[in-house]
């Protein structure tokens, strides 16, 4: 059944409470652990199955917001994530400070989120802003960045390349938020930026 967009905020709220209740139950088994409590009036009157990603996915475009929450405990973990790829040579060979390197990734993220702000994945990802996940990868140089961009393009993964001005050189790219299982296979050869 299709999920009405007006029911989505309630579903997200209920799922959050359900996760808190699960955490509380787990904590009770640990002596001396802090146990969060949920007032009875706020406890969901329906089952955890409403929060399951598989059911949220059936809700059509609005169901994407459920994906951004990540998987409910007990399900295979697949979550919304945004990948950022930055050139290492900007710092190692061109002497750019760390802050400038970080700014390149930030520029790429801002560009993709702004230009794709009407996309359902972007809305879902930004709609759950306190639980965003990002992976920052590094490539050796401009040539490797171009190869990564081409690989993403060839596989239908939407992304944006940042061109630093006034130099007009490509410095970083960011993908649109996707489920990890969709994007990770195309970037698995790249290592984390260190």
């Amino acid at each position: 059944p299709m999920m009405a967009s007006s029911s989505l905020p309630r579903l997200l709220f209920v799922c959050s409470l359900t996760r808190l209740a699960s955490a509380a139950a787990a904590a009770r088994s640990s002596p001396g652990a802090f146990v969060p409590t949920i007032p009875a009036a706020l406890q969901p009157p329906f089952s955890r199955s409403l929060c399951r990603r598989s059911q949220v996915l059936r809700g059509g475009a609005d169901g994407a917001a459920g994906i951004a929450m990540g998987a409910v405990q007990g399900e295979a973990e697949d979550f919304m994530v945004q990948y950022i790829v930055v050139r290492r040579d900007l710092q190692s060979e061109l002497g750019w400070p760390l802050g400038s390197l970080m700014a390149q990734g930030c520029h790429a993220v801002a560009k993709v989120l702004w230009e794709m702000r009407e996309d359902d994945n972007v809305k879902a990802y930004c709609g759950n802003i306190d639980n965003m996940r990002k992976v920052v990868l590094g490539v050796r140089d401009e040539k490797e960045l171009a190869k990564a961009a081409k690989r993403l393009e060839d596989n239908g993964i939407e992304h944006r390349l940042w061109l630093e001005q006034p130099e007009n050189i490509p410095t970083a790219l960011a993908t649109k938020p996707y489920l990890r299982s969709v994007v990770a296979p195309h970037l698995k050869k790249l290592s984390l930026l260190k």
Side-chain angles (χ1 to χ4, degrees), residues 68 80 113 117 120-130 132 177:
M80 292 286 273
L113 292 179
R117 63 189 173 277
D120 289 331
N121 281 13
V122 172
K123 287 179 183 179
Y125 185 73
C126 292
N128 192 19
I129 203 159
D130 291 332
M132 289 180 162

Side-chain angles (χ1 to χ4, degrees), residues 22-36:
S22 295
R28 281 188 200 99
S29 64
S30 301
F34 170 73
V35 179

Side-chain angles (χ1 to χ4, degrees), residues 60-84:
D62 288 334
I67 299 167
M69 296 182 327
V72 173
Q73 189 175 18
E75 290 187 342
E77 180 105 14
D78 198 10
F79 47 84
M80 292 286 273
V81 64
Q82 186 173 29
Y83 284 85
I84 303 146

Side-chain angles (χ1 to χ4, degrees), residues 5-101:
S5 59
S6 61
S7 67
L8 188 61
R10 181 173 178 196
L11 178 62
L12 292 175
F13 177 69
V14 169
C15 289
S16 297
L17 288 177
T18 303
R19 285 179 153 198
L20 182 60
S22 295
R28 281 188 200 99
S29 64
S30 301
F34 170 73
V35 179
T37 58
I38 302 171
L42 293 178
Q43 291 186 14
F46 34 85
S47 75
R48 277 180 57 135
S49 66
L50 285 176
C51 298
R52 295 209 183 277
R53 182 177 53 86
S54 60
Q55 290 195 2
V56 173
L57 280 173
R58 287 188 213 122
D62 288 334
I67 299 167
M69 296 182 327
V72 173
Q73 189 175 18
E75 290 187 342
E77 180 105 14
D78 198 10
F79 47 84
M80 292 286 273
V81 64
Q82 186 173 29
Y83 284 85
I84 303 146
V85 182
V86 181
R87 288 175 47 189
R88 287 190 180 101
D89 67 323
L90 297 175
Q91 186 177 37
S92 63
E93 294 178 25
L94 301 177
W96 289 26
L98 179 60
S100 296
L101 196 66

